[in-house]
């Protein structure tokens, strides 16, 4: 009997259409827009955590859609003029409300699950690292759609007007936008003087999450717990509004959402470093000789080890005892806008780095040498070209014994300009005695690794530390 009732409810409600709209619009957004979710190691089909987080970012507009569609469903009895008739039936009001909310919950949760499944099939083909740490992220995402729809249904029942669905949709969208902008951000000053913003506790009330910047970053357990409490409060208020029949009970129905917000704000972390945290299992190093990568990139280890050992030999032959002795994937997660931190004894690499990502075949050896000589001091999350690129090209040429064009340094025109200027610096450097060349190379590398000097200035004899 219950199955038949639910099947009937699915046929006569907007629930199937709501699920279809959520699924098709999300897939259209992902596949028709060429954006960061298709880039590098953080692509939505590259790793499990990236998949979960990118699909959660879509909630900035999927959640308002769910709220609006729920409100449209909540108007059904009013539109059919059956409200008074239904109140005279012997069936409890919460039975009808549960069936109505259950139909919407099933379709929206299924739509979100299918969205994740589409990405999961591709993730399976792209990575050897599997885990379940991504699952809470997606489960909270599905819960947010269900809670939003139930809240919309309750609001539609309590405020039976044709304006309710569009106004609720706009209000929900404004909420997610404001949480991502000023109301949900805290401005900070970085060591470089570059202004930046970080999420605060209030921003975590939004079902959407930050864009994925690092494949090793995930949400903490306290974030999952706090968001779950908040969303359950939203759903409880929506359900109570569906059942409420008097102004007084509708007012009392607001209690769960207020209580949920209060408890959630107590549970949610206030420190940004405890919101988006390093996934220690994913960041665990897997090594082959002196070359190490994280578990997420284990499939690349064999190729990287071959080129890494060759790069280390060449660096040792050029720098002697000052040369780095290992190559390791960088697992440091620094705030956006902060100054990078480099090691003198370890070549730290990022597979999303422009030079490393663009390197093919033997170019990977050059790229590793480049990261060992001039790793780059652009603030985290920023990119740029200039003196560092010239110094890097000359430094790699000096180690190899011949000047060569480096991959991944901007457009062809920019690369040609860098090569032209590097050739002039190379000519002046190689005209010096070997001891003087080594002195300038060491000064350049010291400035580049500390991020407190001008690498190109040190290479040309114009000064290093500043």
């Amino acid at each position: 009997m219950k199955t038949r009732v639910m099947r009937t409810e699915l046929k006569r409600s907007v629930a199937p259409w709501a699920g279809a709209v959520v699924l098709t619009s999300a897939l259209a957004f992902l596949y028709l827009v060429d954006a960061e979710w298709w880039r590098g190691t953080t692509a939505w089909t590259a790793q499990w955590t990236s998949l979960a987080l990118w699909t959660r970012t879509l909630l900035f507009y999927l959640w308002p859609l769910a709220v609006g569609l729920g409100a449209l469903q909540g108007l059904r009895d009013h539109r059919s003029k059956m409200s008074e008739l239904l109140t005279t039936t012997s069936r409890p009001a919460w039975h009808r409300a549960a069936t109505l909310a259950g139909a919407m919950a099933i379709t929206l949760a299924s739509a979100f699950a299918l969205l994740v499944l589409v990405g999961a099939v591709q993730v399976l083909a792209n990575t050897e690292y599997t885990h379940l740490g991504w699952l809470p992220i997606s489960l909270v995402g599905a819960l947010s759609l269900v809670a939003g729809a139930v809240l919309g249904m309750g609001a539609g029942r309590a405020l039976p007007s044709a304006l309710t669905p569009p106004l609720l949709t706009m209000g929900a969208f404004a909420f997610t936008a404001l949480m991502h902008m000023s109301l949900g951000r805290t401005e900070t000053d970085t060591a470089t003087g570059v202004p930046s913003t970080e999420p605060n506790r209030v921003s975590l009330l939004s079902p959407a999450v930050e864009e994925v910047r690092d494949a090793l970053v995930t949400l903490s357990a306290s974030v999952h717990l706090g968001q779950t409490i908040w969303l359950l409060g939203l759903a409880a208020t929506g359900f109570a509004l569906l059942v409420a029949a008097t102004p007084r009970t509708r007012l009392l129905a607001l209690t769960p959402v207020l209580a949920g917000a209060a408890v959630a704000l107590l549970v949610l972390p206030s420190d940004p470093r405890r919101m988006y945290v390093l996934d220690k299992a994913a960041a665990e190093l897997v090594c082959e000789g002196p070359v190490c990568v994280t578990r997420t990139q284990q499939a690349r280890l064999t190729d990287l080890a071959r080129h890494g050992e060759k790069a280390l030999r060449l660096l040792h032959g050029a720098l002697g005892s000052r040369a780095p002795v290992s190559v390791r994937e960088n697992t440091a997660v620094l705030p956006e806008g902060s100054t990078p931190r480099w090691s003198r004894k370890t070549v730290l690499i990022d597979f999303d780095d422009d030079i490393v990502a663009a390197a093919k075949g033997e170019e990977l050896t050059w790229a590793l040498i480049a990261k060992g000589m001039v790793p780059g001091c652009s603030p985290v999350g920023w990119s740029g070209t200039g003196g560092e690129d010239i110094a890097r090209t000359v430094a790699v040429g000096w180690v190899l014994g011949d000047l060569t064009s480096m991959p991944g340094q901007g457009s062809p025109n920019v690369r040609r300009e860098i090569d032209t200027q590097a050739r002039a610096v190379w000519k002046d450097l190689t005209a010096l005695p070997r001891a003087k060349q080594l002195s300038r190379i060491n000064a350049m590398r010291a400035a580049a690794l500390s991020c407190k000097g001008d690498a190109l200035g040190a290479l040309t004899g114009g000064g290093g530390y500043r």
Side-chain angles (χ1 to χ4, degrees):
M1 175 66 73
K2 292 181 180 180
T3 303
R4 190 184 316 123
V5 171
M6 182 61 69
R7 191 162 53 243
T8 303
E9 187 62 47
L10 286 170
K11 289 180 180 179
R12 62 194 291 263
S13 72
V14 300
W17 293 103
V21 167
V22 166
L23 178 60
T24 55
S25 63
L27 290 175
F29 200 86
L30 287 170
Y31 281 96
L32 298 181
V33 179
D34 184 18
E36 291 302 315
W37 48 78
W38 289 110
R39 308 274 193 271
T41 61
T42 58
W44 81 291
T45 58
Q47 299 291 338
W48 291 102
T49 302
S50 298
L51 163 67
L53 289 173
W54 275 123
T55 49
R56 279 284 298 274
T57 63
L58 298 181
L59 293 177
F60 85 91
Y61 81 92
L62 291 179
W63 189 72
L65 272 180
V67 173
L69 290 168
L72 184 63
Q73 178 64 44
L75 291 177
R76 184 182 66 181
D77 293 346
H78 177 75
R79 290 197 310 269
S80 60
K81 300 180 180 180
M82 293 177 57
S83 301
E84 293 185 6
L85 175 63
L86 290 174
T87 57
T88 62
T89 63
S90 58
R91 189 181 179 194
W94 70 267
H95 278 193
R96 297 192 303 271
T99 303
L100 190 66
M104 188 68 79
I106 289 172
T107 55
L108 288 177
S110 298
F112 194 76
L114 285 173
L115 173 64
V116 173
L117 181 61
V118 170
V121 172
Q122 298 172 80
V123 172
L124 282 172
N126 291 332
T127 184
E128 297 178 358
Y129 176 59
T130 58
H131 63 104
L132 295 178
W134 61 275
L135 198 54
I137 302 174
S138 293
L139 289 176
V140 172
L143 176 61
S144 69
L145 289 176
V146 172
V150 174
L151 180 67
M153 292 164 63
R157 178 71 63 85
L159 301 170
S161 168
L163 295 177
T164 300
L167 288 178
L168 276 179
T169 302
M170 293 171 60
F173 184 76
F175 175 77
T176 58
L178 287 173
M179 289 300 98
H180 186 70
M181 295 163 58
S182 57
L183 293 182
R185 309 289 294 184
T186 301
E187 187 167 333
T188 58
D189 292 325
T190 62
T192 60
V194 179
S196 180
T197 61
E198 294 180 330
N200 60 31
R201 185 183 303 179
V202 176
S203 71
L204 297 176
L205 295 180
S206 171
V209 298
E210 299 282 296
E211 292 187 356
V212 186
R213 214 167 37 84
D214 194 313
L216 301 178
V217 170
T218 188
L219 290 171
S220 65
S222 56
V223 172
H224 298 320
L225 178 59
Q227 290 181 335
T228 299
I229 293 171
W230 159 242
L231 293 170
L232 289 175
L234 282 179
T237 287
F239 190 80
L241 287 173
L242 270 177
V243 177
T246 65
R248 187 168 182 269
T249 54
R250 287 173 185 145
L251 190 60
L252 289 174
L254 299 178
T255 303
V257 70
L258 296 176
V263 175
L265 289 174
L266 291 176
V267 173
L268 292 169
S270 58
D271 186 350
R273 291 170 296 183
R274 293 176 53 228
M275 298 175 188
Y276 292 85
V277 298
L278 179 68
D279 186 339
K280 294 181 180 179
E284 182 182 340
L285 294 178
V286 181
C287 301
E288 187 173 316
V291 180
C292 300
V293 298
T294 62
R295 292 182 64 190
T296 61
Q297 302 299 329
Q298 188 171 351
R300 303 192 187 196
L301 179 58
T302 300
D303 185 54
L304 183 70
R306 180 166 55 88
H307 292 284
E309 290 173 355
K310 181 177 180 180
L312 291 175
R313 286 196 303 271
L314 291 170
L315 285 167
H316 185 267
L319 299 174
S321 60
R322 292 176 176 264
V325 296
S326 62
V327 175
R328 178 169 61 82
E329 184 180 352
N330 195 356
T331 58
V333 179
L334 301 176
E336 188 170 1
S338 60
T339 303
R341 301 170 187 168
W342 305 115
S343 168
R344 295 177 182 274
K345 289 299 182 181
T346 301
V347 179
L348 297 174
I349 66 165
D350 183 343
F351 287 106
D352 286 330
D353 180 85
D354 290 343
I355 297 174
V356 176
K360 306 295 182 184
E362 191 59 26
E363 290 177 345
L364 184 54
T365 302
W366 308 348
L368 296 175
I369 294 173
K371 301 305 291 184
M373 298 294 280
V374 185
C377 290
S378 295
V380 175
W382 297 59
S383 61
T385 57
E388 280 187 344
D389 296 300
I390 299 169
R392 185 181 295 117
T393 300
V394 174
V396 174
W398 187 81
V399 172
L400 296 174
D402 186 24
L403 194 66
T404 183
S405 180
M406 293 297 298
Q409 297 192 123
S411 66
N413 290 336
V414 172
R415 197 175 302 120
R416 278 194 294 270
E417 179 64 24
I418 292 172
D419 291 344
T420 299
Q421 297 184 50
R423 199 170 295 111
V425 177
W426 166 264
K427 185 177 179 180
D428 293 341
L429 179 67
T430 53
L432 299 173
R434 181 69 181 180
K436 186 65 173 177
Q437 293 180 32
L438 181 58
S439 176
R440 288 196 179 182
I441 288 290
N442 286 333
M444 174 213 69
R445 187 163 178 258
L449 291 173
S450 66
C451 289
K452 294 180 179 179
D454 181 3
L456 182 59
L459 189 60
T460 57
Y465 287 98
R466 61 176 182 267

